[in-house]
Amino acid sequence: MSGDVAIAGLVDTTDLTAALWELARDARWFSGRSRGGRPAGLHVGRTLVGHERSVAPAVLDVRYADGTTERYHVPLVLRTVGSGPGPALLDLGDGRELAEAVDDPRAMRVLLEHLAGSAPGFELLSPVPTDLPARRYTGEQSNTTVFFGTQLLCKVFRRLEDGPNVDVELHRELAGTGTVAELHGVWRDEDADLAVFLEAFSDPIDGYVAACDAARVGRPFDDHAEALGRTLRRVHATLAERLPTTSLHTADLAETFRRRFSAAASEVPRLRDVQSRVEERYAGLGAQDIPAQRIHGDCHLGQVLLTEGRWRYVDFEGEPLKSLDERREPDSPWRDVAGMLRSFDYAAASAPDGAPEWRRRARRAFLHGYSPDGPDTALLEAFETDKAVYEVVYESRNRPHMIHVPLIHLDPTTEGAHHGA
């Protein structure tokens, strides 16, 4: 149907930019909704020609009032009007239309065929079948996943950054460890990774869903929590072995934490009520050098899946509010540990009474799995505090009804008021 055609040459840039901006503003993967951004440019990349579909990456530049710019990726499919699922983004007026490729199984199979053939822009790392049915998963927010049968998935990156995607980078390093999905290939355009093709897990169970279900009924989660700790320890050991390591000075770390707290308190003034407690925890860091390495960067229960009785870690892109440079810098493994501990607090908060005993046991079991000899208490407390401050900002922007969860950690004396004690 499509022939040898470049999608970029078929469309009016102004019309396509307007259509993509309308899509982005309502999309869950667009993180700039509250910042007053405006479209500032459009790039349509190399067209991938298939039998009935042609696919090309469209990258929309969004500029904000502070002068910063973000790039968002929408894979486009060119097809006959009305020949595929999902709404059209743009009617070309010649019997053809453009739509989101992730909604169109035949369009996504074009990507799979190009990967299997190691076409320009594709890096094939292990063989993939090309006859698998494609199905978009609707549950994620920051990226979009399309499953190919039960064997393979394609994670389409939405917010793009220069250079290798951090998720791709760390999946490469963790290959063969049994702690993550195996990497099958990468799709890129010019200087950015557009998508990654990964092993699909069998009957995966989301860690956060499992923990919340357990907390609500008081079912112990200790064995799972301990296994999660052991697996994270293997992740960290592998990354330290395969990638460069360095050290951090705790006095510098404390100053970074203080700057972040100051910025957060400017945005969420109620944080000033806990400033003395926070400062006490940061002061406890003292002055010493501590090991630093590449880490997960956004470690929580929503980033782990239970499959065939084994926990695997996923989504190594780091915290979405941090810059790429920040997410790629070596950091203390205790940041990941703190992130998972904070996640147990969130799971416990799903129970009407806050499940305090369930939370304590799960946290203790996870720490035992990660570090049988016990944690560095002052360091862990400082990292968990920094994470809670980050959460206060995130919740104030996105889920105000959940802001009490990190605030309770910052000031435990308020816990009773939130749970009716």
Side-chain angles (χ1 to χ4, degrees), residues 208 281 298-301 319 334-349 358-359 363 366 380-392 395 399 402-411:
Y208 186 66
R281 296 173 192 176
D298 189 24
C299 190
H300 56 78
L301 286 164
E319 290 178 342
W334 291 107
R335 184 182 299 280
D336 281 349
V337 176
M340 186 62 78
L341 292 179
R342 296 293 313 122
S343 193
F344 285 124
D345 281 18
Y346 272 87
W358 182 96
R359 180 184 63 196
R363 288 167 59 96
F366 175 77
L380 180 57
E381 189 173 64
F383 271 113
E384 198 171 353
T385 298
D386 181 61
K387 179 67 172 178
V389 170
Y390 171 94
E391 291 166 356
V392 168
E395 303 301 6
R399 302 186 301 182
M402 296 296 291
I403 200 170
H404 67 279
V405 179
L407 286 174
I408 285 173
H409 179 79
L410 296 173
D411 184 4

Side-chain angles (χ1 to χ4, degrees), residues 134-147:
R135 171 182 59 85
R136 178 178 180 170
Y137 175 65
T138 59
E140 76 275 73
Q141 296 183 12
S142 60
N143 293 298
T144 300
T145 296
V146 175
F147 285 94

Side-chain angles (χ1 to χ4, degrees), residues 26-311:
D26 294 329
R28 286 190 284 176
W29 43 259
F30 179 54
S31 61
R33 190 171 296 103
S34 64
R35 296 164 56 198
R38 300 298 301 170
L42 175 67
H43 165 73
V44 180
R46 181 198 302 270
T47 297
L48 314 172
V49 179
H51 177 59
E52 297 180 310
R53 299 286 192 268
S54 288
V55 176
V59 180
L60 180 69
D61 295 335
V62 179
R63 183 167 295 126
Y64 300 98
D66 61 3
T68 60
T69 301
E70 293 178 338
R71 296 186 295 159
Y72 287 91
H73 171 217
V74 180
L76 300 175
V77 55
L78 173 66
R79 67 192 185 193
T80 302
V81 169
S83 66
L89 290 171
L90 197 63
D91 189 327
L92 300 183
D94 60 358
R96 295 180 296 181
E97 65 184 14
L98 291 176
E100 266 208 282
V102 292
D103 291 322
D104 189 324
R106 283 181 283 181
M108 293 306 297
R109 284 201 295 274
V110 172
L111 291 185
L112 194 59
E113 290 163 2
H114 280 69
L115 173 66
S118 296
F122 288 83
E123 180 184 6
L124 179 67
L125 296 170
S126 61
V128 295
T130 59
D131 58 349
L132 299 173
R135 171 182 59 85
R136 178 178 180 170
Y137 175 65
T138 59
E140 76 275 73
Q141 296 183 12
S142 60
N143 293 298
T144 300
T145 296
V146 175
F147 285 94
F148 293 100
T150 59
Q151 301 166 246
L152 190 69
L153 66 84
C154 173
K155 182 161 70 169
V156 175
F157 299 125
R158 294 299 196 164
R159 186 160 71 91
L160 302 184
E161 292 165 300
D162 293 341
N165 184 281
V166 177
D167 197 31
V168 174
E169 193 177 8
L170 295 189
H171 269 91
R172 286 185 193 276
E173 301 302 334
L174 292 166
T177 63
T179 60
V180 299
E182 292 302 318
L183 182 64
H184 286 277
V186 184
W187 177 32
R188 64 174 56 91
D189 183 60
E190 296 185 352
D191 61 348
D193 288 340
L194 301 174
V196 62
F197 296 82
L198 296 165
E199 168 194 9
F201 295 138
S202 174
D203 298 320
I205 298 173
D206 180 277
Y208 186 66
V209 172
C212 288
D213 288 346
R216 289 188 192 108
V217 299
R219 183 171 63 248
F221 199 71
D222 306 15
D223 290 345
H224 285 310
E226 186 166 351
L228 284 168
R230 289 195 300 269
T231 303
L232 183 60
R233 186 173 67 212
R234 288 199 298 275
V235 166
H236 286 159
T238 303
L239 293 179
E241 176 185 328
R242 298 181 179 179
L243 290 171
T245 61
T246 184
S247 62
L248 299 173
H249 196 64
T250 53
D252 296 334
L253 195 61
E255 282 306 306
T256 299
F257 288 166
R258 291 184 182 106
R259 284 195 302 271
R260 279 207 283 259
F261 178 84
S262 178
S266 296
E267 183 171 340
V268 187
R270 64 195 297 185
L271 276 171
R272 296 193 181 101
D273 296 338
V274 299
Q275 185 164 358
S276 60
R277 291 177 180 271
V278 167
E279 175 53 38
E280 183 179 343
R281 296 173 192 176
Y282 294 164
L285 285 172
Q288 58 177 317
D289 289 325
I290 58 171
Q293 61 168 88
R294 294 295 296 276
I295 63 172
H296 184 285
D298 189 24
C299 190
H300 56 78
L301 286 164
Q303 308 284 42
V304 292
L305 295 172
L306 181 65
T307 175
E308 298 180 337
R310 193 166 44 160
W311 286 102

